[in-house]
Amino acid sequence: MNRETLLNASIMNKMNIVKKVLTILFVVCCSSFFQQIGAQDFICKSPDQILHLSVQLKEGALWYSISYKEATILEESPLGLITNVSDFSRDLRFVEKSERVVHTNYTLKSIKQSRVDHLLNEVVATYETPRSEKISIIFRVGNNDVAFKYALAQNGETARCIVEKELTGFKFPSFTTTFLTPQATPMIGWMRTKPSYEEGYASDEPMGTPSRYGLGYTFPGLFHVGDNGWALVSETGVGSLYCGAKLSEGTKEGLYTISYPEEGENNGIGSAKPGIALPGETAWRTITVGDNLKPIVETTIAFDLVEPQYEPSKEYTFGRSTWSWLLWQDESINFEDQKRFIDLSAAMGYELVLVDNWWDTRIGKEKIEELAKYAASKGIGLSLWYNSNGYWSDAPQGPKNKMNTAIARKKEMAWMQSIGIKGIKVDFFGGDKQETMKLYEEILSDANDYGLVVIFHGCTLPRGWERMYPNFAGSEAVLASENLIFTQNANDLEAYSATLHPFIRNSVASMDFGPVLLNKRHNRTNDGGTIRRTTETFQLATAVLFQTPVQHFGITPNNLEEYPAFVIDFMRNIPSLWDETVFIDGYPGKYVVLARRHGNQWYVAAINAEKERRDLKVTLPMLAEKEILYYSDKKDRSPQLNQLSISKNGTITLSIEPEGGVILTTQHQHAK
Ligand code: CA
């Protein structure tokens, strides 16, 4: 340890002691967060006292409700579980409760904010059935988040349990509108690979509108509770010990409930219901609440509630990547084209290149070793694509049979480690059953043993995985940029979809969308195929708006010659890791303005999905009195760059063209 590290360690120690003392003081002073109502019911308030969770036992059944600034967010909503052993849905009797403050404090460079430090008020309430079987509900309330999970005790010799049904519901006031994406029918779509969280969103729909497939909605779901506020409903902490859940179809009265996977997922193999060993716990249910959209965009609750599941085998680094497959497709999976993309990443100063599907037959392992050496000579790392396969889809792409069993997987990963491969992208998973969650976790855990970063595609929503598994980077689980190549409709809806993700999908987990396509036409020669509707500045803005620690950019070698230096320089300097994320303005489906900080560099990105230009007065305190670069769209929709001085109060009016964008950044002060 050198002097500086010693000094830092001693400062950190002192800070930790101060923090502990403050926390104890806080608990003593603010134990008023808990309010008893009658003998068995209570209200748990947020640290700032504004968000209220109320829990009631009525005639043996459990209910909860949520209010924010005294306005209703969730009306009386059901709690409870029915297992094959016990019925915790009725005839419950209150046993005991306890309260404490949980100090949530961690650093995590792969999410929207590198340092998290706040308090969650916790109440654990225990109830029992007439047969004395105990269930505890662990509630946590932050300033803008409510979370809870169920903990089941062992009763006698019974140590096994199947959860037949979770009653947990979310009952919204009648005037609420929804922003939801449907759960897909099992075994449909291309090569029977669904569900894969690749459906569109319907915005501002009345509650109870039937979903596209009639199977409910995938997490997260956003609810606009009129003037009362907003709520983002999701779940977290789902690893190998539980299944992924979803929201049921809503009733006209506004009740959405937790619903487990469909029997047909994973080709019908594996139980649709989760099994737990007793004593054991369910996953966390989360509701992020605000009277505006800022808490919805900025929440870290998906990561606050979980713990790292293993030690990282090394210090993982993430980075920027190019990949040929997006625009050049399968035909580009050959040695020469891959070299061109290694050269592209090198020219951009990026860290990575992804070699996508079919490399096993079209390039071969020996030539991959040669490519990895060539890449390393230019300071670039390679990532390799794999098919998750097994018996759950017909997806034909190789390499197959390498990721679905421990023996093949470890052998393959040892080979990758021996030639310096940085990471894997594993595609085409079978749904949300516990059996599939186990496969995700096993791939992550084995990959950590061989020092590999993991990305999933054709997959479920990651639920707290950035913190649970330190080598996890991000997942697709979105109608990603590949659809811009596949259909014109995806291009026509591109701006609309992009203004949804910061509020919904990307709020709860890293999103491997593959943004920034600078080709005007989406084919290899930039002269055919689908037509991009959005502007180049819009595309650049998505590099800021879409967060994932390993960004796969859709730029291609021809773009270097086609655009002015300031466009390419922006892409050279853009980071993929963020220390801070600040919501500025927006409405899902219409427009969004977001600020992100990397080190001391700020990026403010704004996009407009509507058909009219939007003139928007915003206050950007982070840019006050700074000289900044201002990227925007010219009248002819081509990109332009200006330098601006921001006033003392940070106020500026942005003019955002239809399907266009604006970026303000301090980037040039530290251009590479
Ligand atoms: Ca996909």
Side-chain angles (χ1 to χ4, degrees):
M1 232 188 232
N2 61 28
R3 228 181 84 86
E4 201 176 324
T5 346
L6 263 175
L7 204 63
N8 282 342
S10 124
I11 292 171
M12 286 301 282
N13 263 338
K14 276 181 195 149
M15 279 172 57
N16 280 337
I17 292 165
V18 171
K19 225 166 242 168
K20 270 183 195 141
V21 172
L22 283 176
T23 309
I24 292 161
L25 277 176
F26 184 90
V27 177
V28 173
C29 302
C30 304
S31 53
S32 62
F33 76 77
F34 180 84
Q35 192 182 327
Q36 187 79 39
I37 299 170
Q40 55 196 20
D41 301 334
F42 60 89
I43 292 172
C44 180
K45 295 177 188 171
S46 54
D48 66 6
Q49 308 271 314
I50 294 171
L51 177 60
H52 293 193
L53 160 75
S54 161
V55 178
Q56 285 182 291
L57 184 62
K58 288 203 301 195
E59 291 163 5
L62 278 164
W63 302 86
Y64 76 112
S65 56
I66 295 173
S67 67
Y68 190 80
K69 291 188 179 165
E70 291 174 8
T72 300
I73 298 293
L74 276 189
E75 295 174 352
E76 210 158 75
S77 304
L79 291 169
L81 281 182
I82 299 171
T83 77
N84 65 338
V85 183
S86 315
D87 183 351
F88 298 111
S89 71
R90 59 202 169 93
D91 303 327
L92 294 176
R93 191 184 71 81
F94 174 77
V95 177
E96 60 182 357
K97 51 157 185 54
S98 64
E99 312 105 54
R100 64 171 183 145
V101 175
V102 179
H103 183 193
T104 307
N105 179 20
Y106 57 93
T107 58
L108 188 58
K109 61 186 174 186
S110 57
I111 61 167
K112 64 180 91 168
Q113 177 181 333
S114 61
R115 224 188 133 71
V116 175
D117 189 349
H118 54 224
L119 302 172
L120 297 169
N121 290 337
E122 182 185 274
V123 177
V124 180
T126 303
Y127 306 87
E128 66 179 6
T129 66
R131 295 193 299 168
S132 302
E133 302 145 314
K134 286 191 178 58
I135 186 170
S136 297
I137 312 181
I138 301 152
F139 296 98
R140 288 194 187 162
V141 181
N143 284 346
N144 292 95
D145 300 285
V146 172
F148 56 87
K149 65 176 173 183
Y150 302 92
L152 306 184
Q154 184 170 354
N155 188 43
E157 68 175 24
T158 307
R160 66 192 148 85
C161 162
I162 305 291
V163 183
E164 302 279 359
K165 186 178 166 58
E166 185 169 331
L167 277 75
T168 307
F170 311 90
K171 167 81 172 65
F172 289 96
S174 60
F175 47 83
T176 302
T177 57
T178 68
F179 296 73
L180 298 170
T181 184
Q183 173 76 17
T185 308
M187 311 303 288
I188 61 163
W190 188 75
M191 293 289 168
R192 284 145 294 280
T193 52
K194 287 191 182 190
S196 53
Y197 288 64
E198 293 170 292
E199 309 297 325
Y201 282 84
S203 291
D204 258 333
E205 281 204 315
M207 294 188 299
T209 308
S211 83
R212 179 168 174 197
Y213 304 100
L215 297 175
Y217 302 92
T218 58
F219 284 125
L222 180 64
F223 295 84
H224 188 186
V225 195
D227 293 340
N228 294 9
W230 293 84
L232 185 68
V233 178
S234 196
E235 66 172 347
T236 192
V238 183
S240 59
L241 298 177
Y242 218 71
C243 66
K246 59 181 187 285
L247 285 174
S248 68
E249 294 284 296
T251 66
K252 289 256 177 308
E253 294 71 38
L255 178 66
Y256 293 78
T257 55
I258 291 287
S259 152
Y260 289 145
E262 300 302 313
E263 295 282 354
E265 288 178 31
N266 207 44
N267 201 15
I269 309 292
S271 173
K273 293 163 186 166
I276 51 182
L278 297 175
E281 295 181 341
T282 69
W284 287 98
R285 313 295 167 212
T286 66
I287 308 125
T288 299
V289 176
D291 60 353
N292 65 75
L293 287 156
K294 187 175 165 69
I296 305 295
V297 172
E298 297 178 8
T299 183
T300 54
I301 195 68
F303 319 107
D304 298 348
L305 299 166
V306 300
E307 294 288 338
Q309 299 296 295
Y310 47 72
E311 283 293 313
S313 64
K314 65 177 199 191
E315 201 189 321
Y316 287 101
T317 55
F318 302 100
R320 294 88 42 88
S321 185
T322 63
W323 92 117
S324 71
W325 181 83
L326 180 64
L327 276 142
W328 293 11
Q329 297 279 291
D330 290 350
E331 293 68 41
S332 70
I333 308 303
N334 62 68
F335 189 81
E336 284 310 315
D337 281 346
Q338 294 312 307
K339 266 179 86 175
R340 290 187 68 183
F341 274 77
I342 291 167
D343 293 343
L344 173 63
S345 271
M348 296 303 292
Y350 290 174
E351 293 77 21
L352 297 162
V353 166
L354 166 67
V355 185
D356 217 283
N357 63 188
W358 295 121
W359 61 263
D360 55 330
T361 47
R362 295 181 181 213
I363 298 174
K365 275 192 162 175
E366 258 174 49
K367 283 294 212 182
I368 284 286
E369 297 192 26
E370 201 179 319
L371 261 187
K373 270 190 200 140
Y374 177 74
S377 77
K378 303 209 153 198
I380 306 288
L382 286 192
S383 324
L384 297 178
W385 186 96
Y386 283 87
N387 193 330
S388 86
N389 69 319
Y391 40 69
W392 41 87
S393 82
D394 298 329
Q397 292 100 320
K400 294 180 73 169
N401 302 310
K402 300 294 185 194
M403 286 295 139
N404 54 322
T405 65
I407 294 168
R409 192 163 57 227
K410 289 180 189 174
K411 199 172 153 193
E412 191 75 2
M413 288 177 172
W415 167 73
M416 282 189 264
Q417 187 178 41
S418 76
I419 64 164
I421 299 299
K422 299 291 180 209
I424 51 173
K425 166 180 168 180
V426 190
D427 210 334
F428 303 129
F429 286 83
D432 291 338
K433 287 179 177 175
Q434 190 166 350
E435 169 150 333
T436 306
M437 294 296 155
K438 197 158 166 271
L439 177 63
Y440 285 112
E441 186 173 275
E442 286 168 354
I443 291 172
L444 285 158
S445 170
D446 284 348
N448 181 51
D449 290 348
Y450 297 94
L452 298 165
V453 166
V454 180
I455 288 162
F456 295 120
H457 265 236
C459 58
T460 194
L461 177 81
R463 292 150 162 98
W465 295 0
E466 291 83 345
R467 191 161 175 220
M468 290 162 72
Y469 313 113
N471 56 325
F472 172 72
S475 290
E476 183 181 35
V478 66
L479 211 47
S481 62
E482 60 188 19
N483 294 282
L484 300 170
I485 321 305
F486 299 155
T487 71
Q488 186 56 46
N489 186 49
N491 290 273
D492 299 343
L493 291 175
E494 184 184 7
Y496 163 75
S497 306
T499 59
L500 292 167
H501 300 321
F503 301 99
I504 311 174
R505 164 65 181 85
N506 208 184
S507 177
V508 299
S510 301
M511 180 176 82
D512 194 38
F513 181 88
V516 191
L517 287 75
L518 293 178
N519 270 15
K520 289 180 191 301
R521 299 294 299 269
H522 291 142
N523 67 346
R524 179 166 178 155
T525 39
N526 200 6
D527 57 1
T530 55
I531 301 160
R532 169 159 57 80
R533 302 292 188 205
T534 60
T535 66
E536 282 83 41
T537 310
F538 177 105
Q539 289 297 318
L540 299 182
T542 59
V544 179
L545 290 173
F546 296 168
Q547 177 270 325
T548 196
V550 175
Q551 278 279 27
H552 293 98
F553 291 122
I555 56 171
T556 46
N558 53 301
N559 298 150
L560 298 187
E561 317 302 323
E562 290 165 354
Y563 288 102
F566 68 81
V567 169
I568 303 305
D569 282 348
F570 177 87
M571 288 307 296
R572 280 201 178 102
N573 287 302
I574 189 79
S576 68
L577 301 179
W578 302 105
D579 294 304
E580 204 178 331
T581 293
V582 181
F583 172 73
I584 305 293
D585 200 356
Y587 191 93
K590 294 181 177 172
Y591 71 105
V592 62
V593 188
L594 214 64
R596 293 200 205 266
R597 178 176 64 81
H598 173 88
N600 55 9
Q601 302 300 312
W602 279 99
Y603 292 76
V604 178
I607 55 169
N608 176 12
E610 295 189 295
K611 299 295 171 206
E612 304 286 314
R613 192 181 74 191
R614 184 176 280 272
D615 294 315
L616 193 68
K617 193 176 171 187
V618 292
T619 303
L620 307 170
M622 64 286 288
L623 299 184
E625 290 187 276
K626 289 208 161 86
E627 299 290 320
I628 58 116
L629 297 181
Y630 187 90
Y631 293 76
S632 60
D633 301 308
K634 284 191 216 164
K635 281 277 165 292
D636 69 359
R637 299 179 67 73
S638 65
Q640 63 182 340
L641 175 64
N642 296 99
Q643 301 217 20
L644 285 184
S645 306
I646 303 291
S647 66
K648 206 170 179 174
N649 61 8
T651 303
I652 180 171
T653 299
L654 310 176
S655 284
I656 325 167
E657 294 296 325
E659 297 176 285
V662 165
I663 306 160
L664 302 83
T665 175
T666 55
Q667 179 190 73
H668 62 306
Q669 291 161 8
H670 287 269
K672 278 178 198 163

